[in-house]
Amino acid sequence: MLGPMYEERASRVRGAVAWTRAAAPPGTTGRVLPDGCMDLLLWNGELVVAGPDTRAHPAVERRGLPVYGLRLPPGAGPEVFGAPAWQLRDQRVPLDALWPAAAVRTLGERMGERIDRAADPLAELESAAAVRLAGRYGTAGGRRDAALLETVVARLRGGAGVAPTARYVNLSERQLYRRCRDAFGYGPKTLARVLRMQRALRMAASGVPLAETALRTGYADQAHLSREVRALAGVPPAELVCGWG
C-alpha cells in the first residue's frame, strides 16, 4: 500500500524502482502486498532482503527510522541475492545471510554517510545491485534469460493463461513452472494471480468502480475480485483502495 509518507522514482537499475518511506513512530504497523518482486531494504537500520510474498506481510516499525528500498523487477532478485527466489519466499532475511559480511558492512557504512550528508542513500543500493546484475545483461545468455522472464511477466500480466504462455516461450508447462519458481518464488499461476491483483487495485485506485475493474482485469465479477484480494491481501479491495495513493 502507498501513502503520503511514501515516495518512489525510477531507478537507474533497469526495471527497478527506488523508494523511500518517511519515519513512522515505533510500533506502527503496515501491510506489504504481494507484487511479484523482491526488495533490498534499509529497514529499522538494518540491510534486509524482502523475499517474494504469497500473502500480505505485516511490517512493524521498531526504531522509528526512514525506510529505503530498491524494488527489483520480477525475476531479477536471484541474480542480485545469489539464491533462488523460492528459498526466500514469504521471508525477510538479513542481507549478511546472503552476501559476505564485509560487503554488507561497507554498504551500510556508505548509506549511513549519505544519510548524514543529506544525500540520496538509495544510490548505494542501486550501485550494489547494478554490480550483481552485470552478468544478467552483460552476456548473450544473460540477456536471453532476462528477456524470457520479462516476456513471461508481460504475458501473465496481460491476462494470458499458463499453457499459452509456456507455448509462446517454447517451454513445457513443467519447465515454465521450474523457471518461475526459481526466478519469482512461485509458479506461474500464483504469479498471474499476484500481478492481476496489483493491476486491479491500481485501476480501482484511479477511480474505476470495483465492478468494472473486475471485468476489465479478467475476474468473473466483483465477488471474484473480492475473494482473490482477501486471499492474497487479507482484507477486501475497498479497504486497500482507500489507503492507496
Side-chain angles (χ1 to χ4, degrees):
M1 293 177 63
L2 309 182
M5 300 169 64
Y6 174 93
E7 295 181 356
E8 66 178 37
R9 62 168 172 79
S11 170
R12 65 184 180 86
V13 175
R14 176 177 169 178
V17 174
W19 59 271
T20 305
R21 195 178 70 233
T28 300
T29 60
R31 185 185 302 271
V32 180
L33 303 185
D35 59 6
C37 300
M38 299 170 68
D39 289 58
L40 175 56
L41 311 172
L42 182 65
W43 177 41
N44 286 315
E46 301 173 359
L47 286 162
V48 175
V49 175
D53 293 320
T54 59
R55 57 187 181 275
H57 180 86
V60 181
E61 298 302 324
R62 298 196 312 270
R63 299 177 58 187
L65 298 173
V67 182
Y68 301 95
L70 182 66
R71 183 176 307 115
L72 298 164
E79 191 81 27
V80 173
F81 302 125
W86 60 266
Q87 289 187 355
L88 303 172
R89 184 173 55 233
D90 293 320
Q91 296 187 61
R92 300 299 182 266
V93 178
L95 183 60
D96 59 13
L98 301 169
W99 287 8
V104 175
R105 185 167 55 252
T106 298
L107 176 58
E109 290 171 352
R110 288 177 175 172
M111 291 190 72
E113 290 170 0
R114 282 182 169 269
I115 292 170
D116 291 342
R117 300 199 314 266
D120 182 11
L122 291 169
E124 295 296 341
L125 293 182
E126 291 176 298
S127 294
V131 168
R132 289 178 172 260
L133 282 171
R136 180 178 174 86
Y137 302 114
T139 66
R143 288 191 294 272
R144 281 195 302 270
D145 186 64
L148 184 147
L149 295 176
E150 289 167 2
T151 299
V152 168
V153 170
R155 289 188 63 81
L156 293 177
R157 182 178 280 139
V162 172
T165 297
R167 288 195 297 270
Y168 189 85
V169 295
N170 296 314
L171 295 176
S172 69
E173 289 187 50
R174 180 170 294 183
Q175 288 172 324
L176 178 61
Y177 175 83
R178 289 198 296 265
R179 294 294 293 272
C180 286
R181 186 169 178 261
D182 285 345
F184 309 119
Y186 28 65
K189 288 183 180 179
T190 299
L191 178 61
R193 290 177 65 205
V194 167
L195 295 174
R196 181 167 62 170
M197 179 191 72
Q198 285 285 338
R199 182 179 170 219
L201 291 175
R202 290 186 181 278
M203 185 178 293
S206 73
V208 178
L210 285 174
E212 182 180 347
T213 292
L215 295 178
R216 288 173 60 179
T217 52
Y219 295 95
D221 51 29
Q222 185 175 340
H224 182 203
L225 167 63
S226 295
R227 287 195 301 273
E228 278 289 280
V229 172
R230 279 184 177 274
L232 291 168
V235 294
E239 182 174 330
L240 295 174
V241 170
C242 287
W244 201 286

